[in-house]
Amino acid sequence: MCGIVGYIGEKEVTRILLEGLKRLEYRGYDSAGIAILDNAEISVVKEKGKIAELERSIPQKKYENNIGIAHTRWATHGEPSKANAHPHLSFDGKIAVVHNGIIENHAILKKRLQAEGVSFKSETDSEVLPHLIAKYYNGSIEKAVQKALLDVEGTFGILVLCLDEPEVIIGARHGSPVVLGIGHNEMFIASDISAIVSYTRNVVYLEDNEMVVLKKNQYRTLSLTATEIIKEVHEIDWNIEQIEKAGFEHFMLKEIFEQPETIQNAFRGRMLMDEGISKLGGIPFNSSEFHKVDRIIIIACGTSYYASLVGEYLLEDIAEIPVEVEYASEFRYRNPIITPNTVVFVISQSGETADTLAALREARRKGAKVYGITNVVGSTIARETDGGAYIHAGPEIGVASTKAFTSQLVVLILVTLAFGRRSRLSRDKGIRILKGLKELPEKVREVLAQAEHIKKIAEKYHAYNNALYLGRGYNYPVALEGALKLKEISYVHAEGYPAAEMKHGPIALIDENMPVVAIVTNSSIIDKVISNIQEVKARKGQVIAIATEGNASIQELCDDVIYVPDVIEPLSPIINTIPLQLFAYYIAVMRDCTVDQPRNLAKSVTVE
C-alpha cells in the first residue's frame, strides 16, 4: 500500500527519490513526502495529493549530503493531510522515519511518550516511531532502532535517518516488504523493486524481524536482536521497459493486451503434451505425500480469490479432489481444520498480501504443507511456502489485476492436470486440455481484435450507475471478477451472481435501468443460462451477452453481443474474462476515472 524509497550515494538524491516515488504510484496513495539530510538539519517536504504536488514544493537546490528517504501514504490512521503525510520527525528534529504498516499498540506508546513531555503533530500511528527512537538514542542509531522496535506491536517496513549519523540509513521490516538494491558507491532501499530497478538489478530481500545498516559502499544485515545475518544477493530478471506504458494510454490497457504473451509464459515449458500432463518444478506432485492428498484448501483475497474459485471448479470436476476456497482475512481468525492429508495453496499476485501471509502462517502452524502461486520472484510468499509456482506475468502496474488473473488461471489448470493425471484423468483428456491451452494465446488475440466493438458497447452503457453480472458453473467466478473490475475502476455499483440465484433476490432490481452482463458461452448448462436471460428480458432489463462464435440465435434475445472463440469448458474462464476487462476499462475512461490508480485502492495490500 504505502511506498517507501531511500538512497545514499553520489547522485542527486532528490531526483532519485522522486523517480522512485513515481514508480510506486500504482500502489495507491493520498499524500507524499521526502526527508533529506541537509547540513545541520533534516529537510522535510510533504504534500497532500499527488507526487506532482510534492515535486513543485521541493526547493530547487543541490543538497550537500546525497542521502534521503521518501514515502507515499495510503491513509489508515488520520485523514489524508500534509500533517499526516510522512516522513515524521522526532521531538528533537534529529530523526526522520517513513513507515509502511500499522503500529497496533500506538495508542499505549503515544500516552507513554506524552506523559514524558513529547508532543505529537499528526493523527498517525506512525509518529510514535521517530519519538521512540529518539528516546532511546545514545550515540548509536542502530541500537536505538532495535530498542524502539522491540516496544512495537504490529507491522512495519521502515527507513530511518539520523542527523547525528549522516552517512547511514537504517531499514527494518516485520510484515511489510523491504528490499535493498546494491549499486557502485551507492545503495537503494525500497518497499518494491520497481522503485529501484532502473538503477540496479542486484537486490537483497529483508525477512521479518530483520534490519539493514546502509552506507553508500557497504551494508550489514542483522536481526532486531543484533545477530549478524548473511543474506543472498538476487539478480532481477526484468527491466525498466516492462514497467513503461509502451504507447498505451494506461497501464491497464497495456496489460490487457499483453495477455497472449503472459498466458503463454505461464504454461511455457510446463506441458508434457505426449503424456497429457503438466510439470511444475516447485511442487512435488510425484512425492508420496502428494499421492495421499485427499483435500485442498486455497486461500486468497480479491481477484486472486476469484481465480481460486475457478480452481475449485477445475480440481473438483477434473481431478475429483474436494476443495475449499477461503478468504485469507477470514481464515486467519477461524479455527480451520487441517487434516494430515490436506494441502494448502495460497495465491497472491504480489506475494506480499498481509492477510494471505497471515493465513499462510496460520496454516503452517497447524501443520499443513503450504504452496504458493505468485507473480513476484523473491516475494515473502515465495520464500515462506514449502514450494510453489510463479505465474510469470511480468510486472503488473495497474491496480486492477488483469494479466495476473488469467495467468493464475493457467497455473491452476496445470495444477489440476498434475493432480488429475495421477488418478482419474485420462491421458487423452489431458492432451485435449493441453492442446486447448496451447491454442489460447491466438484466441485471446481474436478477442483483443474486437476492442473497438467492445468500446462502442461501453459507450452505450457508460452512464449507468448499476450493473449485474451473471454466470454459471466455471463462469460464475468470471461474473464475480467482471463485476469487481467495473466497480474498482469506474466506481459503478456492480454485483456478480450465479445466474440461477438472480431469482432469489436480485431480480427485484431488474428494470430498463439495470444493464445485465450474461456469460452464455458453450457449456453443459447453456440452456439454463438462456432461461435466466429470458427472465431478465421479461422485466425490461438490457442484456450484454458474452457468447461463443456461431451462436446467432443469442442476438435475437440480447441487446448486445460480444463473441469469443470456442474453447473447451475448463478454459472458458480465461477467454471470457478478456472482454469483461475491456468493457470495464472503456467505461472507466468514458467516466473520466483514474484507471490505473482507482480511488482508495492499492496494488499490494500490506496492512490488515
Side-chain angles (χ1 to χ4, degrees):
M1 299 185 83
C2 306
I4 56 177
V5 187
Y7 175 74
I8 179 170
E10 299 173 349
K11 294 187 175 74
E12 185 185 348
V13 63
T14 306
R15 177 177 60 82
I16 290 174
L17 293 179
L18 285 172
E19 285 182 6
L21 291 183
K22 288 173 183 177
R23 299 286 181 200
L24 296 177
E25 282 192 291
Y26 74 94
R27 292 174 68 95
Y29 71 105
D30 48 54
S31 57
I34 66 169
I36 296 173
L37 284 180
D38 187 23
N39 293 326
E41 67 173 354
I42 299 177
S43 176
V44 174
V45 182
K46 307 191 287 187
E47 289 293 342
K48 176 185 173 182
K50 296 298 182 183
I51 292 167
E53 297 295 323
L54 173 68
E55 192 168 11
R56 283 191 282 269
S57 299
I58 295 172
Q60 298 297 310
K61 59 175 288 187
K62 179 172 174 56
Y63 292 93
E64 292 299 319
N65 300 306
N66 288 311
I67 175 172
I69 57 179
H71 188 266
T72 52
R73 176 178 185 255
W74 188 88
T76 54
H77 296 69
E79 66 181 9
S81 69
K82 190 171 181 176
N84 289 333
H86 299 214
H88 292 295
L89 285 175
S90 60
F91 55 82
D92 58 6
K94 290 188 174 184
I95 289 168
V97 173
V98 293
H99 167 232
N100 182 12
I102 291 178
I103 307 303
E104 294 174 359
N105 63 335
H106 76 279
I108 296 170
L109 295 172
K110 183 174 181 178
K111 285 182 180 178
R112 193 175 88 192
L113 289 163
Q114 286 175 323
E116 296 173 4
V118 175
S119 61
F120 283 71
K121 297 180 180 179
S122 78
E123 304 168 273
T124 69
D125 57 319
S126 304
E127 195 184 351
V128 300
L129 292 170
H131 296 317
L132 268 180
I133 294 168
K135 172 187 171 183
Y136 287 121
Y137 186 73
N138 188 25
S140 169
I141 188 62
E142 177 183 329
K143 292 180 180 178
V145 170
Q146 288 169 346
K147 288 181 179 179
L149 292 181
L150 291 176
D151 288 349
V152 166
E153 297 173 9
T155 58
F156 55 80
I158 65 168
L159 302 182
V160 183
L161 286 183
C162 179
L163 188 62
D164 291 342
E165 298 183 48
E167 297 180 352
V168 174
I169 295 176
I170 302 289
R173 77 159 279 177
H174 177 76
S176 193
V178 175
V179 58
L180 160 69
I182 303 167
H184 178 66
N185 281 333
E186 60 184 354
M187 295 286 176
F188 308 83
I189 191 165
S191 54
D192 190 311
I193 293 169
S194 63
I196 60 177
V197 71
S198 60
Y199 296 101
T200 180
R201 299 287 185 83
N202 298 315
V203 301
V204 171
Y205 299 99
L206 292 191
E207 304 287 353
D208 279 356
N209 300 312
E210 291 182 353
M211 62 185 292
V212 61
V213 181
L214 209 60
K215 296 184 179 181
K216 72 177 183 179
N217 55 7
Q218 64 176 325
Y219 68 92
R220 287 189 301 115
T221 49
L222 59 158
S223 72
L224 295 183
T225 53
T227 302
E228 297 284 335
I229 299 171
I230 304 300
K231 303 288 292 183
E232 180 182 359
V233 178
H234 299 264
E235 185 174 353
I236 302 304
D237 62 356
W238 49 272
N239 55 44
I240 196 66
E241 286 75 22
Q242 290 178 271
I243 55 173
E244 300 290 354
K245 290 181 183 175
F248 287 90
E249 186 177 355
H250 296 97
F251 283 111
M252 182 179 178
L253 186 62
K254 171 179 176 276
E255 288 156 7
I256 290 171
F257 273 82
E258 285 177 342
Q259 286 174 108
E261 289 75 31
T262 55
I263 287 169
Q264 188 170 41
N265 289 342
F267 67 67
R268 181 182 282 116
R270 292 170 162 177
M271 300 193 300
L272 301 176
M273 189 67 72
D274 291 343
E275 300 174 42
I277 197 169
S278 61
K279 61 173 183 177
L280 293 164
I283 307 175
F285 289 111
N286 292 325
S287 68
S288 58
E289 169 195 320
F290 264 79
H291 278 273
K292 296 176 183 176
V293 171
D294 59 13
R295 176 170 168 258
I296 295 170
I297 298 175
I298 309 178
I299 302 170
C301 299
T303 285
S304 296
Y305 177 82
Y306 297 146
S308 302
L309 289 178
V310 176
E312 180 179 20
Y313 280 93
L314 288 163
L315 284 158
E316 292 191 342
D317 181 28
I318 296 171
E320 298 184 26
I321 300 175
V323 178
E324 297 170 28
V325 178
E326 299 268 5
Y327 278 114
S329 55
E330 291 298 310
F331 182 89
R332 63 187 292 195
Y333 291 116
R334 296 198 302 104
N335 181 28
I337 306 301
I338 306 290
T339 61
N341 295 329
T342 297
V343 68
V344 175
F345 284 86
V346 294
I347 304 181
S348 164
Q349 187 282 137
S350 67
E352 303 290 351
T353 309
D355 285 318
T356 308
L357 282 167
L360 182 167
R361 291 160 184 162
E362 177 65 18
R364 296 197 73 179
R365 274 194 294 271
K366 289 183 173 290
K369 287 285 188 180
V370 184
Y371 295 88
I373 296 175
T374 187
N375 191 32
V376 180
V377 176
S379 61
T380 304
I381 282 178
R383 298 196 304 275
E384 290 197 12
T385 46
D386 295 290
Y390 290 115
I391 64 173
H392 298 305
E396 187 178 64
I397 305 301
V399 166
S401 182
T402 51
K403 63 179 181 174
F405 176 73
T406 51
S407 293
Q408 287 169 351
L409 295 185
V410 171
V411 171
L412 283 166
I413 290 165
L414 297 174
V415 168
T416 298
L417 280 171
F419 274 111
R421 284 287 286 119
R422 68 151 209 217
S423 56
R424 296 171 176 82
L425 181 67
S426 70
R427 173 178 171 274
D428 287 346
K429 188 171 181 181
I431 291 173
R432 183 169 174 244
I433 292 171
L434 288 178
K435 283 183 175 178
L437 196 55
K438 190 175 181 180
E439 294 168 357
L440 261 183
E442 191 55 42
K443 293 187 176 184
V444 169
R445 289 188 181 94
E446 291 178 34
V447 179
L448 293 172
Q450 299 182 66
E452 283 302 314
H453 171 61
I454 297 169
K455 185 176 182 180
K456 288 177 182 177
I457 295 174
E459 174 69 36
K460 181 177 175 181
Y461 295 100
H462 80 277
Y464 289 87
N465 292 317
N466 298 280
L468 196 62
Y469 284 65
L470 303 178
R472 297 194 76 164
Y474 281 103
N475 286 296
Y476 159 51
V478 176
L480 293 172
E481 171 63 10
L484 178 64
K485 284 294 154 283
L486 189 65
K487 71 179 80 170
E488 277 184 317
I489 63 171
S490 68
Y491 319 140
V492 171
H493 175 246
E495 299 296 337
Y497 272 89
E501 282 296 304
M502 179 186 61
K503 296 188 293 294
H504 299 281
I507 199 167
L509 299 171
I510 301 296
D511 61 17
E512 64 274 12
N513 295 313
M514 175 64 81
V516 176
V517 179
I519 304 166
V520 62
T521 48
N522 290 347
S523 73
S524 57
I525 52 174
I526 185 172
D527 291 339
K528 301 290 186 182
V529 184
I530 289 173
S531 295
N532 300 137
I533 292 173
Q534 288 170 329
E535 291 164 354
V536 172
K537 292 305 296 178
R539 288 153 182 86
K540 299 182 180 180
Q542 299 184 71
V543 178
I544 306 127
I546 309 298
T548 304
E549 288 174 348
N551 186 348
S553 61
I554 201 71
Q555 292 184 342
E556 300 172 8
L557 186 59
C558 301
D559 297 88
D560 295 280
V561 180
I562 302 168
Y563 284 111
V564 297
D566 192 17
V567 297
I568 59 174
E569 194 170 355
L571 303 182
S572 64
I574 297 176
I575 203 77
N576 293 342
T577 293
I578 310 298
L580 300 183
Q581 293 172 348
L582 286 168
F583 183 68
Y585 169 79
Y586 287 121
I587 284 181
V589 170
M590 291 167 190
R591 292 171 71 95
D592 199 26
C593 298
T594 52
V595 173
D596 288 330
Q597 299 165 33
R599 67 188 182 201
N600 304 329
L601 296 182
K603 183 66 179 174
S604 180
V605 183
T606 54
V607 297
E608 184 179 355

